[in-house]
Amino acid sequence: MHSTEIHTYLHKFFTENDCEILHGNEHYLTVQLTIDMDKRIMNRPFYWRYIESVNEVPNPAQLTLITDMQQLQNGMKGEVIHLGSPRLHQLFQVTKEMGQYVKMYERTEEGTSDQLILTPWIGVNYKVSFTSHQTKEILYSVGMNLMTGAVIKEFHETVSMRDLSDQSSEQVFHLPYIITPIRALDRLDAVISQIIEDEDLTWVEEAEKRWRKDQAVLDYFYEGQEPKPECYEMEKQAMEERFKPRITVEVVSGGLFYLK
């Protein structure tokens, strides 16, 4: 997930949750939070408890989020956001809590007399974490046409350029899907599995080599001690937890989209 994709996500997240974008460009955003969003992400329960107890006028926080610090030369201060940053992880979690799945329709031009046909798509955003002694996270967005079975990668980028609404326009015919959403999700899971297999997995070999090397040092240090003391077993287990390669896949969000 590149900085431009993160920026698009942030802009869409806040605008769809009624948070005003005060100013910004393609490298940063300054956002005025709503009361609800302030309570969700700013972690100041005592402030809100006080405001509500004395019936004071609330003052929700403003946030400046920077997605590409290298492009900013004016000393701007704010939170630097990148894949894996705590704030972005928090917003992913809020997205899940507020509605992990959506149903959206592409808007049509008003005043047209022709009936427009919209095709159903299922879209899913997956977060894949590659973890050993270091962690690498990648966000994949894939979509499937429920009529033809065609798969599009970078699906989020495709729909973000469309004018979407949670309400269907008049004079629109929605094609019934041939592939059920459940079946489509199974196939998209298979697509993600194949994408992972095609990734450069040399990090797995490097992690295992480092694991064996550190294990050899540990064994040498406790050589001749039988049975091994409890601290040896604890260090061995901690080493396994640190170096054992793991790949986890998490669904961040998804939905059913009717597109032109």
Side-chain angles (χ1 to χ4, degrees):
M1 193 176 189
H2 302 295
S3 61
T4 53
E5 297 170 333
I6 293 175
H7 188 90
T8 299
Y9 171 79
L10 294 176
H11 194 284
K12 189 175 184 65
F13 174 88
F14 286 112
T15 54
E16 290 189 354
N17 286 289
D18 300 320
C19 297
E20 181 183 0
I21 307 297
L22 299 177
H23 49 82
N25 56 27
E26 63 270 26
H27 308 304
Y28 83 96
L29 294 172
T30 297
V31 182
Q32 174 62 62
L33 301 181
T34 62
I35 292 175
D36 178 65
M37 191 55 63
D38 187 300
K39 291 180 178 180
R40 288 180 180 274
I41 71 175
M42 295 308 295
N43 191 29
R44 48 180 192 161
F46 297 110
Y47 169 80
W48 286 108
R49 193 176 304 160
Y50 171 77
I51 290 296
E52 291 168 355
S53 66
V54 299
N55 201 27
E56 287 283 346
V57 177
N59 183 27
Q62 294 180 6
L63 276 182
T64 295
L65 305 176
I66 301 171
T67 52
D68 194 341
M69 178 64 81
Q70 295 180 352
Q71 299 296 327
L72 300 177
Q73 305 297 330
N74 57 357
M76 175 177 291
K77 295 183 179 180
E79 295 185 39
V80 179
I81 306 297
H82 55 84
L83 192 62
S85 63
R87 179 68 76 186
L88 187 60
H89 177 76
Q90 181 192 42
L91 297 184
F92 285 160
Q93 186 63 34
V94 170
T95 299
K96 293 174 63 178
E97 293 172 355
M98 297 181 67
Q100 192 172 12
Y101 300 99
V102 297
K103 188 176 184 180
M104 304 292 287
Y105 305 86
E106 188 166 2
R107 294 183 189 270
T108 60
E109 296 182 7
E110 296 184 2
T112 179
S113 59
D114 297 331
Q115 187 177 53
L116 187 68
I117 297 176
L118 296 183
T119 301
W121 289 76
I122 193 93
V124 182
N125 296 320
Y126 296 89
K127 184 176 72 172
V128 181
S129 301
F130 303 88
T131 306
S132 59
H133 58 293
Q134 295 179 322
T135 298
K136 175 183 177 182
E137 295 181 335
I138 304 178
L139 190 66
Y140 296 100
S141 182
V142 292
M144 175 176 288
N145 186 314
L146 298 183
M147 296 294 295
T148 66
V151 173
I152 291 181
K153 298 177 183 178
E154 300 181 355
F155 183 74
H156 175 76
E157 288 73 14
T158 298
V159 297
S160 64
M161 296 184 293
R162 310 282 185 110
D163 186 9
L164 301 177
S165 171
D166 59 359
Q167 300 293 325
S168 178
S169 303
E170 296 182 359
Q171 298 297 323
V172 169
F173 176 73
H174 307 119
L175 289 174
Y177 44 75
I178 296 175
I179 303 170
T180 65
I182 295 298
R183 177 60 178 159
L185 289 173
D186 289 339
R187 292 173 64 177
L188 290 181
D189 286 348
V191 170
I192 287 297
S193 295
Q194 186 60 53
I195 289 175
I196 293 173
E197 289 182 10
D198 294 339
E199 284 284 335
D200 181 5
L201 298 181
T202 55
W203 66 275
V204 174
E205 298 177 1
E206 293 172 356
E208 290 177 343
K209 287 180 181 178
R210 185 166 180 176
W211 183 7
R212 289 194 295 269
K213 181 179 179 180
D214 283 19
Q215 180 65 51
V217 172
L218 181 65
D219 290 340
Y220 178 79
F221 185 79
Y222 288 96
E223 186 177 4
Q225 298 186 39
E226 295 295 343
K228 294 289 191 292
E230 182 179 356
C231 59
Y232 169 85
E233 297 298 335
M234 293 176 60
E235 289 185 49
K236 182 178 180 180
Q237 182 177 353
M239 193 178 301
E240 178 177 357
E241 293 175 355
R242 181 185 180 192
F243 288 109
K244 185 176 181 179
R246 300 179 298 278
I247 300 176
T248 58
V249 180
E250 177 184 356
V251 173
V252 175
S253 59
L256 182 63
F257 300 84
Y258 285 90
L259 307 177
K260 298 178 185 178

